[in-house]
Amino acid sequence: MWGGDGAPCPIASGDVQPQAKSRLAVGSAGPLQYLAINVERVKDVKVRQAIAYAVDRKASTTALGGEIGAAPATTYITPGIPGRQEYNLYPESTAKAQELLKGKAVGQLVLLVSNDEGTLALAQAVQQALQKVNISVKINPVESETWIEKTTQSDGSDYDLTIASWNPDYPSANANLQPLFASSEIGSGGFNLGRYHNAEVDRMLAEAAALPMDEAKDKWANIDRRIAQDVPVVPLVFRRNAFLHGSGVSGFFVNPFPAYPNYLVVGVQK
């Protein structure tokens, strides 16, 4: 936060005094934070679906400061990007998770995370949710450089689960889906942390990317849902950027995408 009527700065979360609420601008959605499931190690799709049903997005949101800090996420495509359709393929259900897990022996899963405060809070929320369906999770916190090496450079043998964040570089669903789910992005610095390889999805991604944005909207929505059927990633939350501006500032708002203010239209009232 800041005190005064100068340029605003972002706030992550926390209680806002009543007199300041009128000066608080909160974005609808920012980077996606998600639970990636290493499909090369957690091979049974029913187990991955059970994990998706077990995840508690309310607890994940609370772990990041509540509605100011995050909003529950159920899709891969970011709000504000053409092609996004709202859906929730795996609404929270302990009963459905337990049903999918019947007769299955799921060993202890290793959740590899960067040891920053926010990620650790999310990891603990995931761990507690999975415990409710008798899935044991061991959290392995490491330095960010080590996390990057183990998830993007190695053979994936160091983790079953990991928590990551992704913000598309430009307003296209291609920037959401291709880096996270194309098989070409496994290892060698790529960000396909679920190590997801599906020839049908690769083909669908290439076809949608070759079309103008307006023509590809439905294709991107279909790809989002198609990937979700295989559950290489469980969306947790969209982080929210919140900004507290001075009482003399006018025209201040946060764009849907990117979730930052447009300073070209900000003014100062005399």
Side-chain angles (χ1 to χ4, degrees):
M1 292 188 184
W2 58 280
D5 294 333
C9 66
I11 60 175
S13 60
D15 294 331
V16 178
Q17 296 300 317
Q19 64 270 24
K21 285 188 176 180
S22 64
R23 297 187 285 113
L24 182 67
V26 182
S28 57
L32 171 68
Q33 286 203 274
Y34 60 90
L35 177 70
I37 306 175
N38 186 341
V39 302
E40 294 177 349
R41 291 173 60 86
V42 186
K43 296 181 180 181
D44 191 329
V45 68
K46 289 189 177 181
V47 173
R48 300 198 300 269
Q49 289 171 344
I51 291 172
Y53 276 120
V55 161
D56 185 345
R57 291 182 177 85
K58 183 177 180 180
S60 297
T61 301
T62 301
L64 296 173
E67 62 181 12
I68 292 178
T74 60
T75 68
Y76 304 130
I77 300 175
T78 306
I81 289 184
R84 180 179 187 272
Q85 291 181 4
E86 183 68 38
Y87 71 94
N88 187 358
L89 200 59
Y90 305 102
E92 183 185 352
S93 174
T94 299
K96 286 186 177 180
Q98 291 173 332
E99 183 180 348
L100 286 164
L101 291 170
K102 280 182 180 179
K104 299 187 181 297
V106 181
Q108 185 179 68
L109 301 180
V110 175
L111 174 53
L112 179 72
V113 294
S114 179
N115 63 358
D116 63 273
E117 183 179 354
T119 304
L120 284 172
L122 272 182
Q124 290 164 0
V126 168
Q127 182 187 51
Q128 291 167 10
L130 296 188
Q131 282 176 345
K132 294 179 181 178
V133 296
N134 298 317
I135 295 178
S136 175
V137 174
K138 177 184 178 181
I139 298 174
N140 181 17
V142 295
E143 295 297 323
S144 59
E145 294 83 1
T146 302
W147 179 84
I148 291 171
E149 190 278 326
K150 288 182 179 295
T151 56
T152 70
Q153 298 287 348
S154 75
D155 61 2
S157 61
D158 293 305
Y159 66 96
D160 302 298
L161 311 169
T162 191
I163 290 175
S165 177
W166 184 259
N167 198 41
D169 294 328
Y170 53 95
S172 167
N174 188 42
N176 282 110
L177 301 180
Q178 194 276 340
L180 301 186
F181 302 111
S183 60
S184 60
E185 300 299 320
I186 299 173
S188 301
F191 221 72
N192 183 342
L193 307 186
R195 304 184 72 83
Y196 178 63
H197 35 82
N198 184 311
E200 177 192 6
V201 170
D202 284 340
R203 175 185 56 77
M204 294 171 73
L205 288 169
E207 289 177 355
L211 294 173
M213 190 177 298
D214 287 344
E215 294 181 26
K217 287 181 181 180
D218 289 342
K219 288 186 178 294
W220 289 123
N222 290 337
I223 296 169
D224 193 306
R225 287 174 179 264
R226 175 64 188 87
I227 294 168
Q229 292 172 14
D230 293 333
V231 207
V233 160
V234 180
L236 298 175
V237 299
F238 290 111
R239 293 303 302 265
R240 278 178 163 162
N241 293 330
F243 299 80
L244 185 64
H245 63 79
S247 58
V249 173
S250 63
F252 189 91
F253 64 94
V254 182
N255 290 308
F257 181 89
Y260 296 99
N262 182 351
Y263 292 106
L264 295 177
V265 299
V266 173
V268 178
Q269 297 173 343
K270 295 184 179 179

